[in-house]
Structure formats: C-alpha cells, structure tokens
Amino acid sequence: MAGTGRSSRSRVSSSRDGIDGDAVPLRPTPNFRPQRGSRGRGRGRNQTSIGTFNVDLKVLLGLSAIAFFAVLYLIINLMTHAEQAQTPRVVTPFPAPKLMDLPQFQGEHKESLYWGTYRPNVYLGIRARTPRSLIAGLMWIGIKDGRYFMRHVCQDSDDLSKYGWAQHDGRSFGHQVIVDQDMNLGTSFLKSKGEDSGYGGDWAVQIDVQNHKSRGNEEASRSAHLFFYLADEDGNTLNLGGDTLDSHENPLLASGSRMDIGNWQLHLKSLDDLEVHYAGFKTPHIHNLSDLVQETLGLQVRKFGRLQLPDTYVDSPNILVFQISARAPFRTDVAFISGTRLESSRVEERVSSLTGTSLTNQLKEKQREFDTKFEKSFNLVDKVDSESIVAGKAAIANLLGGIGYFFGQSKIGVSGDMLPGSHDNSILYWPAELYTAVPSRPFFPRGFLWDEGFHQLLIWRWDTHISLDIIGHWLDLMNIDGWIPREQILGVEALSKVPSDFVTQLPTNGNPPALLLALRDLVHGLKKNKFTAAESDAISSFVERAFVRLEAWFQWFNTTQSGKEVGSYYWHGRDNITNRELNPKTLTSGLDDYPRASHPSEDERHVDLRCWMLLAADCLHSIAELFEKENKSAKEYSATVKLLSDFEVLNQMHYDDAYGTYLDFGNHTEKVRLVWKETMTGHNYATRELVREVLESPKLRLVPHIGPVSLFPFIGRIIPADSKVLEKQLDIISNRSILWTDFGLRSLAKTSSLYMKYNTEHDAPYWRGPIWMNMNYMILSSLYHYSRVDGPYREKARTIYDDLRGNLIRNVVKNYHKSGFFWEQYDQKNGKGKGARVFNGWTSLVLLIMAEAYSS
C-alpha cells in the first residue's frame, strides 16, 4: 500500500475546499490546412512536328522520373505508416474470449448491478456500470470555527470525526454515518426493480440530518445546506421540474431521457419544511463540479449576501444541482424513477414506495437482511465480543461500499524505439472498464492489483458472483504478453487524485498475483462441494475460461521475472543507479521500502516472489486437473510445483543457518548510510541534499533482514511439520526482539540495521516496522494450519496463533471504536492507527481473523 513514504501509491495531499473555485482550463484545438500544388500549361503548336516531338519527349521523360520517385516515396511512406499503425504489443489485448462476455455476467446479473454507489472517491456518489453514465451525488456545507467548507470529495483534510458504511450489501442497499463537527448525516441508498422500471430499476436516497451535540449554540442551530446533484456524462440535457421547487407541492426536481434507461424522473419528498434552490450547468468536466458550485455560491454571497444557489440555469444543462436547506433535525428522500414514458409506469405509486414511511421500512428490512447474512457468512457469535462484531460489520460494509466502476485508458511507459518520431515515451492502453474494490476512499480510490487479491478473500465469502465479476474485469485487462498494469487510474475523476509523475505504468514491472489467493479458495471449494449448484456452475465456467489468461500471466512472470538460477526469481524495476535511497525500493513487490540487496542486480533472488510463483503453479495445476486439461499442461505445472516446493532446493537458495530463517540473496553490504552533502548551484548558491554513501564494496550474499519476506516459505506451508526449521520460524515470530508486539507482528525485525530508518530525506519508514494486516493475516493463516496438523510443534503453533489472533483483533477493534476508522497500518510501539485513515482495503481482513476463515 502506499502513503507519504512511497511513490507507488502516491498519496496526494489534499487541501480544503474554499468557496472560490479554480477556472476550468481551455483545451487548444489543432489546426490543419492542406497545401495546393500547380502545374504550368504546355506550349502551343507553332513549331514543326519534329520539334514538337522533341519537347514532348523531354517533358514525358521528366514527368516519368518525377512520377517514379513520387510513387517510390509514397510506397515508402505507406510502408512506414503501416508499421507505425500496427498496435504495439504492450497495448494489444490478450487474444482470447473476454471473461466479462460469459453468459453468467449478462442478463439479470448485469442489470442487477447496473446502479450502485460506484463513486468511492466522494462521500456519497451513485452511477451506473456504463462508460458514460448519469451520475448523482451529495455535497454539503460544513462549518468549523465560524468558516464554511464544502464537503464532496473524500479527503482527510476535511477532518470529519467519522464517515463510512455501517451496512452495505454490495448490490441494492447501504447505510452510511457521517459526523462533521456538530452535524450528523445519515445517508441510505436503496435500489428497487419493478415491472414498470427501466433498465437497472429505480433507486432512492434518504438523508437524515441531526445535531450531533445537544448544546444549543449558534453554529449547531444554523440551517444545514445540502446539495444533491445529477450530471449526465453523455451531455444529455436535464430538464428542470419547474421554476419553483417544493418537496410538498412540486416534488419533481428533474427529468430527462437516456438510451440505456429510457425516460426518467427525480423526485424530492419530505415531511419537514425545506427551502430548495437550484443551478444548472453545462460542462464535460464533471470532476470539477464542486468548484462550479463553490464559484456560484461565492458570487451569490458577494453580490447579494446570500448563501444560496441563484435559481438559474444555462441552455441545455447536463448538470443540475439542488440546494436543500433546513434547520436540523430534518429528513428528506430523493427518488429516481426510470422508464417513465410508459403509460403503465405508475410513477406516483413508485415515488410513494421509495419515499417516506415505505422507504424507511424497506431500509430497516434491508438492515435486518444484512445482519442475517453477516452472521451466516462469518459466524462470529461464539467467537468474539459485541464490539468486535460491530467493527466486523463495518469492515465488510466499507469494503463492499468502496466498490467502484471506472472507465478510461491507462498510461503505459514505453521505450523510444516503440514510438518512432514521438517525443512522448508513453502510450495509452485500450479503453477499458474496471469494476473493483478500492483500498481507501480518500487516499487510494482506484484499483490496485495485489490489494484486490486480499479484498476478494472477503468478498467471495459474501457474494461469489460479485467476486467473480471483479476478478473477471481485472483479468480482461491483460495484454497479449500476459501483463496487467498494477495500478488502474481510469477516468478523469481517478486521475484528479494522482500526481502526473505517478500515472505512467511500466510494462516491465509486475505486482504479486494475489488474485490467485481467492481463485485457489474457489477451486478448492469446488473440489470439496462447498458451493450451491448455481455458484458451482458460475465458478466452473469462469475458471475454465480464465485458464488461458492465468497461464499467460504465469508465463509472463516466469520469463520476465526469472533469475539466473533455475527456480529463482526477483522483482524487476529496482533503481540500480540511485544515490538518494538508502536501500532502493522494490515497489513491484508491494512491500515498497522493505530492505532488499543494497545494490540491485540480475544476481538477486527474492524468496517472496519464488513463493508467489509456487502459488501460481499450484493453482494452475489444480485447475488443469479439475477440468482435465491436456496432460502436458498438468504435467508442466506439476513439475514446477515439485521444483518450487522442494524443501532442500529452497534451503540451498535462501536458508541461513545463523539467522535460522529464509533471506533474499543479492549484491549487498550493510555499510550504507545517508549523509548530507553540500553542492553549489548557479550564482554560487550552496544547497544541501541527503545522499547515499557506501562504505564498503558489496558482495553476493544472503541479505540479513528478517520480516514477512523471510516467512513466505512458512506462509506457503513448504516447511514440513516435523522440521526443526519450522520451530525456528515459530521462535522468530514469537520473539519480542524480532517481530512480536502486543498489537501484531512488525513488518521488519527490530534487529535489522534498517529498522524504522528513513529511505530518503522525506520517505519515512513504511514497511520497516509498522504492523500491516495483510501480512499478519497470511502468517496467522499458516499458524492455524500448523496448529492442526500432526507434528512436534503443533501445540506451540496453537499457542502463538491464539495470542497473535487476540492481539490483532483487540488492537484493530479498539482503534476503530476510538477513532471511528480502520487504518492503513498500526504503530508497533503503541498500536495506534497510522498512515491512511479510512483504509478499508486489506485491513478488513481482521473480519476473517475474527471468523477464523483461512485458506485450506
């Protein structure tokens, strides 16, 4: 994951929204004007026939020569253009049927997931799973220290006391609680599909505004200002319901028409007295919508001294914003009705069913259904206390509520010879859609490849069909070489959260194939008949079609990330010329600044990647056996599994007797440090910079840093249950001087020379000590395994497992109830959450730890 100490996730420092917005930049339009040529007339016939012939012959020969060279030039030009026109391999889709074209993802399944809270980057955002959607969302004005601030996009600088989904089923329902200073906002989302509905059905939002504190101070008693908006990304005109809007007399806010859902209407209903104002805009820059609203409000305040929209709109607006103002407490319902053109559409009846008491009752029923499904899926009643159950529900709800839909083109870095004549060393991937969970709504509201593998460990246990849908979208992003871009920054909204320096993806760099963790579970469940008939059919058809892509993915790793020795691998992409990093980062591994060999080279062997390759080979072997693929495939993967699980070969390559654990191998020295160096710039101005100083020549050796990487053979269960090596791993895990704390396991041993060391002047330690939930979950999973198999260390494994599980649950739950959030990582000294807050990605694995749900 990423934070301030890491460039791969590129956490963006967000500033508070002010009432004045920025101007939208204009885009220049290139011009092209063809040039004309001219040709002179021939001379008249006033000469003898012989003279005329001589002139014509010379002209003819000249023209022939010109024509020859012109044709030759054209041929060469056409050949050059033809070569350039060929799509580079890196942006050529994998040549196989797409997983998302499977019948199981069409029809009812596709329509049932059409609408959703698929804009995780905003506090409440609704859209459809289509590239150019009708989108909806909520803004409000927060008050702090007498100043107004616009709330819309999730950002840490808003300093909200709490926000997140208390319940969410991933399909048709969600309830969110937001605490902003003295104001409590409850936002609920509900979908409904009836016979008269258009494609995707209808939906409703209920907004409940309360004073958080009972004190009757001036700030708390002021009117609350909400802004509910609709915007059409296709530019279709939105029609205002009327010049005067009223939740009692004229509840129709807007109407319009789209190809996908037909005619539609938006209605506002409330039993409270609301003041409603509006503004209409026309712009393709929907991601800057809060700027437009702020500019408009700022103008109104300066001109008239009123904090309200002007009740005006431009011609043919594609955005309508409705300001809903009232004194708290109040409640209002917004209902979206599709397919309103039909005579039998029963609009009034459908609006009534999605507002008022009817909506409230349906939301209560959905909450009960969520609770029932939660208990059935995770069975926590006899395993943890009530506070843990509340946190567990929030974990799965926020993960499901954080699922987003994105559409766009990734930017891919390429070498200059791939784009002759171009000054830009990047090229766009094909236009693609992605349906995925996200790690963090304010910091990382987009798809990350290896994170998604951990997300799916939870999601498949909740809804197998949603999980397959997400994994299918990811695998369909594979190119012809078997490569998948590891960070998906698709669409303008996603791009707006990422600095331009971190947008480009490099096709030489991979990311752990963690999606295979979920696929392995699904395949194992098939073999053990753990699923319903419908689920089994869906998984079987999915995995069978996915097999060719999984093979290509495996081969990409096997050829591009292989080491010098058979069965060795290393993460490519480390900087071998930097003089600014204490230890060059390995962003591709997902573990960022976790220390590897001090001097990156082709001699490296990374033990974690070797174990990921074992997982991949084992998963492919299981699928090949399950579907009786050709014997050649099954035998090849079986041989690879045998090689990579060979205990003796593993020990020869990576085991260190002195440390009693597994280590990376490479060109390394421990005598490296960061020192201040003074340099002179122009005008004899002296500057200081922190640079790396190497005090001895590196040599090929095992790299003496202990952490989660060292435990990957333990995680992969390669170590025999009766081996003394297993006992040594258990000792390392439970040793307080190495990895053990009262809050979870450190990400780097306390004994390491780089423990909690900055990697550059500004890169704080990231994977050099703090506690990460994904690694702790994987280690805990193997402790659980070794505590249940016969062997001399079974009881020892059980004791460590119970203590570690208790520590992790207790600390995460305590932090959740104290801060209101899940955190990216936890401090190894005091257990406090740190890094990105509102991190509902793999920290949600604490729920599986509560449920003791691990891979078999």
Side-chain angles (χ1 to χ4, degrees):
M1 282 310 304
T4 48
R6 145 182 187 177
S7 56
S8 67
R9 282 273 165 93
S10 58
R11 181 186 302 175
V12 184
S13 60
S14 51
S15 60
R16 295 182 185 275
D17 287 332
I19 292 299
D20 294 323
D22 298 326
V24 178
L26 298 176
R27 181 178 298 171
T29 304
N31 297 313
F32 174 74
R33 184 171 64 190
Q35 295 181 345
R36 294 173 180 246
S38 62
R39 191 170 82 181
R41 294 174 180 266
R43 295 171 61 181
R45 286 179 46 185
N46 55 356
Q47 301 291 329
T48 63
S49 60
I50 295 176
T52 301
F53 177 80
N54 289 338
V55 173
D56 289 345
L57 181 60
K58 290 176 182 178
V59 171
L60 184 61
L61 289 172
L63 288 173
S64 298
I66 291 170
F68 172 79
F69 286 110
V71 171
L72 185 62
Y73 173 79
L74 283 171
I75 292 171
I76 293 171
N77 228 359
L78 285 169
M79 290 175 67
T80 303
H81 280 300
E83 288 178 10
Q84 291 179 359
Q86 287 182 351
T87 305
R89 285 185 65 85
V90 71
V91 292
T92 301
F94 189 77
K98 293 176 69 174
L99 285 157
M100 297 317 300
D101 289 339
L102 280 167
Q104 70 196 61
F105 297 127
Q106 311 307 312
E108 185 180 346
H109 169 87
K110 190 172 185 178
E111 186 176 3
S112 71
L113 292 175
Y114 195 63
W115 291 107
T117 54
Y118 299 142
R119 299 172 61 217
N121 61 306
V122 297
Y123 291 114
L124 177 66
I126 298 159
R127 68 165 296 133
R129 294 206 315 174
T130 187
R132 308 283 292 175
S133 173
L134 187 66
I135 67 173
L138 178 69
M139 306 180 206
W140 72 93
I141 291 178
I143 305 173
K144 184 180 180 183
D145 301 327
R147 298 179 62 198
Y148 294 102
F149 298 96
M150 181 65 80
R151 315 297 200 199
H152 180 213
V153 176
C154 298
Q155 49 189 14
D156 203 47
S157 60
D158 283 347
D159 199 26
L160 301 189
S161 302
K162 181 177 183 177
Y163 68 93
W165 299 99
Q167 296 100 14
H168 202 298
D169 65 5
R171 286 184 174 271
S172 61
F173 160 75
H175 174 66
Q176 183 177 218
V177 177
I178 301 169
V179 181
D180 185 0
Q181 301 302 314
D182 290 338
M183 183 168 68
N184 244 21
L185 269 176
T187 65
S188 299
F189 172 75
L190 180 76
K191 281 195 320 194
S192 173
K193 174 63 176 167
E195 293 180 4
D196 303 319
S197 303
Y199 187 82
D202 307 330
W203 51 261
V205 170
Q206 185 173 91
I207 307 167
D208 190 358
V209 183
Q210 301 285 335
N211 286 336
H212 182 50
K213 296 180 180 177
S214 59
R215 68 185 187 193
N217 63 28
E218 187 181 351
E219 282 190 4
S221 63
R222 286 176 180 156
S223 291
H225 300 282
L226 312 178
F227 301 83
F228 194 88
Y229 62 85
L230 275 183
D232 195 308
E233 292 181 311
D234 249 344
N236 294 311
T237 299
L238 308 184
N239 303 310
L240 190 68
D243 292 334
T244 303
L245 302 175
D246 186 289
S247 60
H248 304 298
E249 301 298 327
N250 181 25
L252 177 63
L253 293 180
S255 61
S257 180
R258 284 179 56 90
M259 291 292 292
D260 52 352
I261 59 173
N263 286 34
W264 57 264
Q265 293 180 4
L266 187 73
H267 293 257
L268 175 72
K269 287 270 189 129
S270 178
L271 295 177
D272 297 302
D273 291 326
L274 308 179
E275 187 178 345
V276 183
H277 296 279
Y278 62 86
F281 308 97
K282 187 170 183 64
T283 173
H285 302 290
I286 292 173
H287 70 288
N288 289 332
L289 183 53
S290 52
D291 294 338
L292 284 174
V293 175
Q294 286 166 192
E295 283 180 22
T296 304
L297 287 173
L299 190 62
Q300 287 288 101
V301 170
R302 289 190 293 272
K303 278 188 174 182
F304 309 109
R306 294 196 301 261
L307 191 64
Q308 67 182 48
L309 294 177
D311 295 329
T312 60
Y313 57 89
V314 300
D315 290 338
S316 304
N318 70 317
I319 300 173
L320 288 176
V321 182
F322 302 96
Q323 180 178 354
I324 305 164
S325 303
R327 288 188 179 276
F330 69 90
R331 178 186 291 174
T332 185
D333 302 327
V334 179
F336 178 85
I337 309 298
S338 60
T340 58
R341 192 172 207 175
L342 300 174
E343 291 183 7
S344 61
S345 56
R346 300 180 302 111
V347 173
E348 193 172 327
E349 184 181 332
R350 287 157 64 191
V351 171
S352 180
S353 72
L354 285 175
T355 56
T357 305
S358 175
L359 175 59
T360 301
N361 290 338
Q362 289 179 76
L363 290 171
K364 289 179 179 177
E365 178 59 30
K366 284 289 186 179
Q367 289 179 353
R368 286 191 288 269
E369 289 176 8
F370 173 86
D371 290 342
T372 300
K373 184 169 183 178
F374 178 85
E375 179 54 32
K376 182 180 179 182
S377 300
F378 303 108
N379 192 25
L380 298 188
V381 170
D382 298 324
K383 295 179 179 177
V384 293
D385 59 23
S386 59
E387 282 197 345
S388 297
I389 291 175
V390 170
K393 288 179 180 178
I396 188 64
N398 279 296
L399 189 61
L400 294 167
I403 293 175
Y405 174 89
F406 308 91
F407 183 86
Q409 293 176 269
S410 293
K411 190 176 183 180
I412 310 301
V414 294
S415 58
D417 56 355
M418 289 184 66
L419 297 171
S422 173
H423 299 292
D424 186 6
N425 288 336
S426 66
I427 190 171
L428 291 177
Y429 225 47
W430 62 87
E433 60 181 353
L434 180 63
Y435 173 64
T436 184
V438 304
S440 170
R441 290 169 65 189
F443 291 106
F444 315 117
R446 53 193 178 277
F448 288 83
L449 180 55
W450 94 295
D451 294 64
E452 200 56 37
F454 294 102
H455 300 164
Q456 293 314 308
L457 290 176
L458 286 130
I459 293 176
W460 80 252
R461 289 175 165 89
W462 178 265
D463 191 317
T464 305
H465 300 287
I466 287 180
S467 183
L468 291 174
D469 198 317
I470 290 174
I471 297 172
H473 272 90
W474 273 101
L475 293 179
D476 279 348
L477 292 173
M478 182 178 291
N479 76 0
I480 193 172
D481 294 320
W483 175 72
I484 302 173
R486 65 192 181 94
E487 185 174 349
Q488 293 294 323
I489 310 166
L490 304 178
V492 180
E493 275 197 312
L495 279 166
S496 68
K497 298 285 284 188
V498 185
S500 57
D501 292 349
F502 305 121
V503 171
T504 303
Q505 305 293 299
L506 300 178
T508 53
N509 295 352
N511 221 198
L515 289 175
L516 295 171
L517 293 170
L519 286 173
R520 177 184 64 184
D521 285 352
L522 292 170
V523 171
H524 182 265
L526 270 183
K527 292 181 175 180
K528 297 294 183 179
N529 295 316
K530 290 184 176 181
F531 300 107
T532 66
E535 288 172 335
S536 295
D537 288 344
I539 296 168
S540 295
S541 59
F542 180 90
V543 173
E544 191 164 20
R545 178 171 287 194
F547 185 73
V548 65
R549 290 177 183 269
L550 297 175
E551 282 194 300
W553 203 16
F554 176 85
Q555 290 304 327
W556 183 86
F557 276 102
N558 207 32
T559 55
T560 67
Q561 311 292 298
S562 57
K564 284 187 174 181
E565 295 188 32
V566 176
S568 70
Y569 300 89
Y570 71 99
W571 296 106
H572 287 49
R574 299 185 71 207
D575 188 347
N576 61 3
I577 61 172
T578 182
N579 70 338
R580 296 182 182 276
E581 294 183 74
L582 182 60
N583 186 277
K585 291 191 290 292
T586 316
L587 299 176
T588 51
S589 72
L591 305 180
D592 297 19
D593 66 345
Y594 182 91
R596 309 281 181 163
S598 62
H599 290 66
S601 69
E602 294 180 355
D603 294 300
E604 285 190 86
R605 301 197 295 262
H606 293 153
V607 64
D608 55 330
L609 181 50
R610 176 189 168 95
C611 294
W612 282 116
M613 293 303 293
L614 171 58
L615 167 68
D618 188 46
C619 190
L620 283 162
H621 178 245
S622 295
I623 297 171
E625 279 191 329
L626 185 66
F627 296 103
E628 299 180 352
K629 296 288 182 182
E630 55 181 291
N631 289 334
K632 183 182 177 184
S633 290
K635 287 178 179 177
E636 285 178 355
Y637 294 121
S638 177
T640 304
V641 169
K642 186 176 180 181
L643 170 66
L644 296 180
S645 61
D646 189 301
F647 189 51
E648 290 185 9
V649 173
L650 171 68
N651 290 345
Q652 289 168 11
M653 282 191 174
H654 289 285
Y655 190 72
D656 186 282
D657 284 314
Y659 285 91
T661 192
Y662 296 92
L663 304 172
D664 286 340
F665 178 87
N667 202 24
H668 183 74
T669 175
E670 283 285 279
K671 295 188 176 181
V672 179
R673 65 183 183 180
L674 291 175
V675 296
W676 287 104
K677 182 179 179 183
E678 194 170 275
T679 58
M680 303 299 293
T681 60
H683 307 292
N684 291 323
Y685 181 74
T687 61
R688 296 174 74 225
E689 60 180 353
L690 203 59
V691 297
R692 183 166 93 149
E693 182 177 72
V694 180
L695 301 177
E696 74 172 10
S697 297
K699 63 180 181 180
L700 292 175
R701 55 175 290 192
L702 290 169
V703 181
H705 296 293
I706 300 173
V709 165
S710 310
L711 295 172
F712 261 80
F714 173 79
I715 292 169
R717 305 170 191 177
I718 304 171
I719 305 169
D722 59 354
S723 170
K724 289 287 289 182
V725 172
L726 176 60
E727 183 183 28
K728 291 183 178 180
Q729 307 318 294
L730 296 175
D731 289 340
I732 286 171
I733 291 170
S734 57
N735 190 327
R736 287 183 174 272
S737 298
I738 301 177
L739 296 179
W740 189 269
T741 78
D742 291 336
F743 317 105
L745 300 180
R746 297 182 181 96
S747 51
L748 184 63
K750 200 174 180 182
T751 53
S752 169
S753 61
L754 294 185
Y755 176 71
M756 293 305 292
K757 291 286 181 67
Y758 269 65
N759 202 46
T760 69
E761 179 183 355
H762 303 292
D763 281 355
Y766 201 50
W767 286 87
R768 296 184 179 177
I771 296 161
W772 292 85
M773 195 56 55
N774 61 336
M775 290 295 106
N776 273 268
Y777 172 79
M778 294 175 77
I779 293 165
L780 200 63
S781 178
S782 287
L783 282 168
Y784 185 76
H785 164 76
Y786 283 113
S787 73
R788 292 163 64 89
V789 296
D790 290 335
Y793 313 111
R794 180 175 180 171
E795 289 306 314
K796 187 172 187 175
R798 184 73 207 186
T799 300
I800 296 171
Y801 167 79
D802 287 338
D803 290 345
L804 179 57
R805 176 176 176 267
N807 288 347
L808 289 165
I809 293 172
R810 190 162 45 250
N811 190 59
V812 173
V813 171
K814 176 185 174 183
N815 270 273
Y816 174 76
H817 285 286
K818 187 175 182 179
S819 69
F821 302 104
F822 293 102
W823 293 78
E824 183 180 17
Q825 50 184 212
Y826 294 87
D827 191 281
Q828 70 277 17
K829 293 179 180 178
N830 55 32
K832 281 188 67 175
K834 59 188 296 188
R837 72 173 191 162
V838 196
F839 190 94
N840 299 307
W842 58 42
T843 300
S844 300
L845 289 168
V846 69
L847 172 56
L848 296 189
I849 293 172
M850 294 177 190
E852 298 187 282
Y854 309 109
S855 298
S856 300

